[in-house]
Amino acid sequence: MEYEACRTLLARRLNRTRYEHSLGVADTAEKLARRFDVDVKKARLAGLLHDNAREFPVADMIREAKARGIPITPIDRAMPLLLHAPLGAYRLREVYGVADEAIARAVALHTVGGAAMTPLDKIVYFADMIEPGRQYPGVEDLRALGTTGTLNEMLLAAFSQSILYIVGQGHLVHPDTVTARNEILLSGRFGG
Ligand SMILES: [Fe+2]
Ligand SMILES: [Fe+2]
């Protein structure tokens, strides 16, 4: 399915706030893809559909994930909302006819990150954090970095911001976020 058809379908399935957030992520991902010479169409579509599984109530996430054979970790049980990322990757094909593995991966990793993130994965993760509708302390610094920084500088700042916030709230830190952040630090290449 092409972008416009996906957009129309998504508009019927998500509430207005989430739909508008999705449009913001699509636009932001598109801009970042141009800046980093990543496939613009894929970035825009991945941004548009990254939260598609938010159509499910949080109370249904574990059941829906189980039905698709998605592994459920103790952290997912404690925070079932996290499952909207892998669930959303499955729904791309089920509902939107999008079979692209790179897009599915970016959707699956958009919430907590993960090992060996591709530039597309990084762009969708970052776009989700800075799209124009987002408001939280520190977002302006991330937005500024989004226009000047390298992808790894941007992601390092985004992961650090996210981990600090989560720790401040007393919540669990997902090990995949730590893995993704450590990988950037260990690579020693903030230009990548
Ligand atoms: Fe999300
Ligand atoms: Fe999102």
Side-chain angles (χ1 to χ4, degrees):
M1 220 183 284
E2 288 302 311
Y3 184 90
E4 276 310 310
C6 289
R7 192 178 63 73
T8 305
L9 193 51
L10 190 74
R12 292 209 299 264
R13 288 178 165 265
L14 293 190
N15 71 33
R16 186 166 189 86
T17 308
R18 295 210 173 101
Y19 172 65
E20 283 173 2
H21 163 67
S22 302
L23 295 182
V25 176
D27 282 352
T28 306
E30 179 180 350
K31 286 184 188 127
L32 291 171
R34 286 191 203 289
R35 185 154 107 74
F36 292 107
D37 204 17
V38 166
D39 189 312
V40 170
K41 277 189 168 176
K42 288 190 188 194
R44 193 163 170 246
L45 194 55
L48 178 76
L49 295 176
H50 78 286
D51 269 344
N52 79 79
R54 293 299 297 267
E55 75 175 75
F56 294 119
V58 176
D60 293 350
M61 296 261 172
I62 289 182
R63 191 184 65 221
E64 294 290 344
K66 268 189 183 165
R68 291 165 180 83
I70 296 169
I72 317 244
T73 68
I75 294 185
D76 296 323
R77 287 198 188 283
M79 297 188 287
L81 181 60
L82 294 179
L83 288 166
H84 80 275
L87 198 48
Y90 270 76
R91 300 286 285 170
L92 289 178
R93 200 188 291 254
E94 282 177 13
V95 178
Y96 299 89
V98 174
D100 187 288
E101 287 304 318
I103 294 177
R105 198 185 136 82
V107 171
L109 297 183
H110 87 266
T111 307
V112 295
M117 288 174 82
T118 65
L120 180 65
D121 299 338
K122 291 175 180 177
I123 281 172
V124 173
Y125 182 96
F126 195 83
D128 189 27
M129 283 191 75
I130 67 150
E131 63 91 6
R134 286 281 205 189
Q135 285 176 7
Y136 54 86
V139 70
E140 287 306 335
D141 291 341
L142 281 186
R143 284 198 182 108
L145 198 56
T147 64
T148 58
T150 66
L151 257 185
N152 278 349
E153 284 170 343
M154 289 156 52
L155 268 285
L156 180 62
F159 290 137
S160 298
Q161 157 96 30
S162 171
I163 290 169
L164 286 169
Y165 174 77
I166 288 165
V167 171
Q169 296 289 304
H171 294 320
L172 290 159
V173 176
H174 200 290
D176 290 354
T177 310
V178 176
T179 296
R181 181 174 178 275
N182 282 351
E183 274 189 3
I184 293 174
L185 289 172
L186 287 169
S187 77
R189 285 187 313 112
F190 295 171

